[in-house]
Structures are given as C-alpha cells and as structure tokens.
Amino acid sequence: MCGQRLVLFTDQTDLDPQPAREMLARHSIGSILAGPEGPLAAAQATTGPVEGLVVGYADVDAGLLDALPALRVIATSSTGLDMIDLEATRARGVPVVPLTDASTEEVATHAVALMLAVERQLLAGARTVAAGGWTQEATGLTPAPRRLSDLTVGLLGCGRIARRVAALLRPLVGEIIGHDPHQDCPEIHQVGVEELLRRSDVLSLHAPLTRETRGLLDEERLALLPHGATLINCARGELVDPDALLSALDSGRLRGAGLDVLPGEPPSPSSPLRQHPQVVCTPHTAFWSAPALETYSLQPARTVLEHLTSGSLPAHAVL
C-alpha cells in the first residue's frame, strides 16, 4: 500500500468493517484494520499516508496523532467524543466528525422501555413466574408500582434523543421537565439542574461524557431526587458514581434503575449491578436495530471519504 491514500479503522468492534472498507476501495482508498496491539502499532507499521481515521472505542491521543502526520479527518461511530483528545486534534487542525442520528429512535425507545420495565417491575414479575410463583408478594419487591400519570419525568440533557423520549412519554406521564445548558429546546420545559433533580420522579440521562459530567450523579446529587425515584441511563455509564447508585438502591432512596451502560464496559462478572433485584440492565444495546447497524457501519467511512475527495465537512464537525 506504499503511496496509496489510507484510512485506519482504529479498533475492531461488534460492527462489521468490511462493507465500509469495500466502499473506500471502490474509490481507490485503501484501509487498515488495527489489531489487538491497537491503532498506534498499526499506524507505526504502515508505510502509506493515513489521511483518515474511523474510530470505535479506541482512544485517540496526541501520541497516535503524532504518528499520523498526514491525517486530515477523524470520524467516529458514536455521538460521544470522550475517547478523542479534542485539544490535541484542534492543535493539529484535524476535524472530528461524530456520528449523529444513527439510532435516535432506538435509544429513545429503549430508555422508555427501561422506564416502563422498572416502574412496572416487569423483570421481577417475569422471574417470579419462571420460578413457579404467581403473586406480587413473591417478587419480593416493594413498594407497589406507581401510576405513570402521577409522575414527573426529568431529562438531564435535551438533545435529539431526549426530545424523542419526551414525545413518546407525553401521553403517558404527568409532566416532563429538562435541563441542558447547551441546548435551546422550547418543546421541553427547562429548569435548573437542582430543581430538575428535586422534582424528577424518574430521571433519564441524555448528557455527553465530558470532564464536567463525569461522575455527575454522585451521592450528594442522588440524594436530591425524591425518595423512591427511578434512574434511567442510556447515555454513558461514567455519568453515575456506581457506589453511590448501589447505596441509593440498597437504602430505598431509589426504587430502581434501568441501565444500558455501566462504567468500564464490559463490567466485571461480579459487578453487583448485574444481579441487583431493583436493576434492569441491558448490555449497551439501546442503539441496536438493523437500519442503525448499517448506518453505524457505513456512515463514518462515508464521512471520511467525502472529506478526502471533496473537502466537505458536515455542519456538526468539531473543528
């Protein structure tokens, strides 16, 4: 591949990279798939100019960028950019393009499904029946479920997914409020973050993971929620202090949690959140659908291709 323009896929995820690599090849752009040694080793081993990165979960830091002097664009297969050193990309003038709107409907639907599963105690009921029981007492869970129409749902973050969650929930719940210092969202009544926490019978997280939001929901902030609140997280596991969450669940301050993300995925098999009776936990599958998988697989490479061939960048590129 000496002299051929190249795109480096930084890691092998659960997505099939082959259709994207074939698309690039049809436009005379080669590709490299990083192995277990990581993207830096792949970058150091290549002899051609790597002009584009397609990033899954791998960290992109200054060291990797220094190994890719010809790099012109980075595209990610996620909305979040917590794995990218944005200060380093800006210093080198390399734009970063996150994937947007690939699974808005899927993630919003999953968040609502988790809320309903926790509020209606569906998992405990299903386990009771599977074990031969047939009474609500046999589930071992208290208190009894609440009426959805009595609940105030708080959305921490008011982007595309949160707005879709709000649209799905409006016919079901009593009130929807939100907080987002970066989004002007007239369809969601926004309040201060402390008021949001104090009023949310159900709190659903839709914030990106940044320095400011990491560990945002710690013991102090969880204690602001109404007693018996429910927490839903389909955003990033690191937004929540796991020890504080366990303490709130065990004390009854939280009646339950619906989690599609956990810190340090995959979590340890011994993680107490995996088996907690008041937790419905799914394995980071909120994004999952056949159409979404196609977008996740192809769109980042398509973004890189368009920039390398025409210089174009979408409006949401981080410069």
Side-chain angles (χ1 to χ4, degrees), residues 102 106 287-296:
E106 289 82 354
F287 71 94
W288 200 20
S289 75
L293 286 175
E294 182 177 356
T295 301
Y296 278 106

mmCIF file of all heavy atoms in Angstrom, residues 102 106 287-296:
data_model
loop_
_atom_site.group_PDB
_atom_site.id
_atom_site.type_symbol
_atom_site.label_atom_id
_atom_site.label_comp_id
_atom_site.label_asym_id
_atom_site.label_seq_id
_atom_site.Cartn_x
_atom_site.Cartn_y
_atom_site.Cartn_z
ATOM 1 N N ALA A 102 -27.949 8.252 14.127
ATOM 2 C CA ALA A 102 -27.961 6.878 13.624
ATOM 3 C C ALA A 102 -29.013 6.042 14.330
ATOM 4 O O ALA A 102 -29.602 5.134 13.730
ATOM 5 C CB ALA A 102 -26.590 6.236 13.805
ATOM 6 N N GLU A 106 -34.097 4.398 18.236
ATOM 7 C CA GLU A 106 -33.816 3.180 19.005
ATOM 8 C C GLU A 106 -33.472 3.487 20.459
ATOM 9 O O GLU A 106 -34.000 2.852 21.386
ATOM 10 C CB GLU A 106 -32.666 2.407 18.355
ATOM 11 C CG GLU A 106 -33.020 1.733 17.038
ATOM 12 C CD GLU A 106 -32.958 2.665 15.836
ATOM 13 O OE1 GLU A 106 -32.742 3.894 16.026
ATOM 14 O OE2 GLU A 106 -33.136 2.189 14.708
ATOM 15 N N PHE A 287 -28.890 1.139 21.065
ATOM 16 C CA PHE A 287 -28.738 1.596 19.680
ATOM 17 C C PHE A 287 -29.174 0.567 18.663
ATOM 18 O O PHE A 287 -29.283 0.872 17.462
ATOM 19 C CB PHE A 287 -27.258 1.913 19.411
ATOM 20 C CG PHE A 287 -26.398 0.678 19.341
ATOM 21 C CD1 PHE A 287 -26.119 0.060 18.133
ATOM 22 C CD2 PHE A 287 -25.888 0.110 20.499
ATOM 23 C CE1 PHE A 287 -25.333 -1.085 18.067
ATOM 24 C CE2 PHE A 287 -25.103 -1.041 20.450
ATOM 25 C CZ PHE A 287 -24.828 -1.639 19.231
ATOM 26 N N TRP A 288 -29.459 -0.638 19.062
ATOM 27 C CA TRP A 288 -29.476 -1.811 18.196
ATOM 28 C C TRP A 288 -30.739 -1.917 17.347
ATOM 29 O O TRP A 288 -31.847 -2.011 17.857
ATOM 30 C CB TRP A 288 -29.339 -3.054 19.070
ATOM 31 C CG TRP A 288 -28.880 -4.287 18.359
ATOM 32 C CD1 TRP A 288 -28.227 -4.374 17.180
ATOM 33 C CD2 TRP A 288 -29.040 -5.626 18.839
ATOM 34 N NE1 TRP A 288 -27.940 -5.680 16.888
ATOM 35 C CE2 TRP A 288 -28.432 -6.475 17.884
ATOM 36 C CE3 TRP A 288 -29.608 -6.184 19.963
ATOM 37 C CZ2 TRP A 288 -28.408 -7.851 18.031
ATOM 38 C CZ3 TRP A 288 -29.578 -7.558 20.121
ATOM 39 C CH2 TRP A 288 -28.985 -8.382 19.164
ATOM 40 N N SER A 289 -30.566 -1.900 16.054
ATOM 41 C CA SER A 289 -31.590 -2.279 15.081
ATOM 42 C C SER A 289 -30.862 -2.509 13.766
ATOM 43 O O SER A 289 -29.731 -2.025 13.579
ATOM 44 C CB SER A 289 -32.660 -1.197 14.911
ATOM 45 O OG SER A 289 -32.166 -0.112 14.152
ATOM 46 N N ALA A 290 -31.490 -3.217 12.850
ATOM 47 C CA ALA A 290 -30.833 -3.489 11.572
ATOM 48 C C ALA A 290 -30.508 -2.200 10.808
ATOM 49 O O ALA A 290 -29.388 -2.025 10.318
ATOM 50 C CB ALA A 290 -31.690 -4.430 10.723
ATOM 51 N N PRO A 291 -31.446 -1.239 10.694
ATOM 52 C CA PRO A 291 -31.094 0.001 9.988
ATOM 53 C C PRO A 291 -29.994 0.790 10.686
ATOM 54 O O PRO A 291 -29.129 1.374 10.032
ATOM 55 C CB PRO A 291 -32.412 0.786 9.972
ATOM 56 C CG PRO A 291 -33.479 -0.236 10.162
ATOM 57 C CD PRO A 291 -32.881 -1.284 11.039
ATOM 58 N N ALA A 292 -30.027 0.816 12.017
ATOM 59 C CA ALA A 292 -28.994 1.560 12.745
ATOM 60 C C ALA A 292 -27.629 0.932 12.540
ATOM 61 O O ALA A 292 -26.630 1.650 12.362
ATOM 62 C CB ALA A 292 -29.337 1.615 14.230
ATOM 63 N N LEU A 293 -27.543 -0.389 12.549
ATOM 64 C CA LEU A 293 -26.256 -1.056 12.359
ATOM 65 C C LEU A 293 -25.646 -0.707 11.010
ATOM 66 O O LEU A 293 -24.428 -0.505 10.894
ATOM 67 C CB LEU A 293 -26.425 -2.571 12.491
ATOM 68 C CG LEU A 293 -26.639 -3.120 13.901
ATOM 69 C CD1 LEU A 293 -26.911 -4.612 13.851
ATOM 70 C CD2 LEU A 293 -25.430 -2.831 14.789
ATOM 71 N N GLU A 294 -26.476 -0.611 9.998
ATOM 72 C CA GLU A 294 -25.965 -0.245 8.673
ATOM 73 C C GLU A 294 -25.384 1.164 8.688
ATOM 74 O O GLU A 294 -24.309 1.423 8.121
ATOM 75 C CB GLU A 294 -27.078 -0.343 7.632
ATOM 76 C CG GLU A 294 -26.608 -0.017 6.222
ATOM 77 C CD GLU A 294 -27.701 -0.191 5.183
ATOM 78 O OE1 GLU A 294 -28.805 -0.646 5.535
ATOM 79 O OE2 GLU A 294 -27.441 0.142 4.010
ATOM 80 N N THR A 295 -26.082 2.076 9.366
ATOM 81 C CA THR A 295 -25.584 3.454 9.453
ATOM 82 C C THR A 295 -24.282 3.512 10.236
ATOM 83 O O THR A 295 -23.322 4.188 9.834
ATOM 84 C CB THR A 295 -26.639 4.354 10.110
ATOM 85 O OG1 THR A 295 -27.846 4.310 9.346
ATOM 86 C CG2 THR A 295 -26.151 5.788 10.196
ATOM 87 N N TYR A 296 -24.241 2.825 11.382
ATOM 88 C CA TYR A 296 -23.021 2.811 12.189
ATOM 89 C C TYR A 296 -21.842 2.258 11.398
ATOM 90 O O TYR A 296 -20.711 2.731 11.534
ATOM 91 C CB TYR A 296 -23.222 1.961 13.443
ATOM 92 C CG TYR A 296 -23.907 2.663 14.578
ATOM 93 C CD1 TYR A 296 -25.231 2.386 14.899
ATOM 94 C CD2 TYR A 296 -23.236 3.616 15.353
ATOM 95 C CE1 TYR A 296 -25.871 3.032 15.947
ATOM 96 C CE2 TYR A 296 -23.867 4.256 16.400
ATOM 97 C CZ TYR A 296 -25.183 3.962 16.693
ATOM 98 O OH TYR A 296 -25.806 4.604 17.723
#
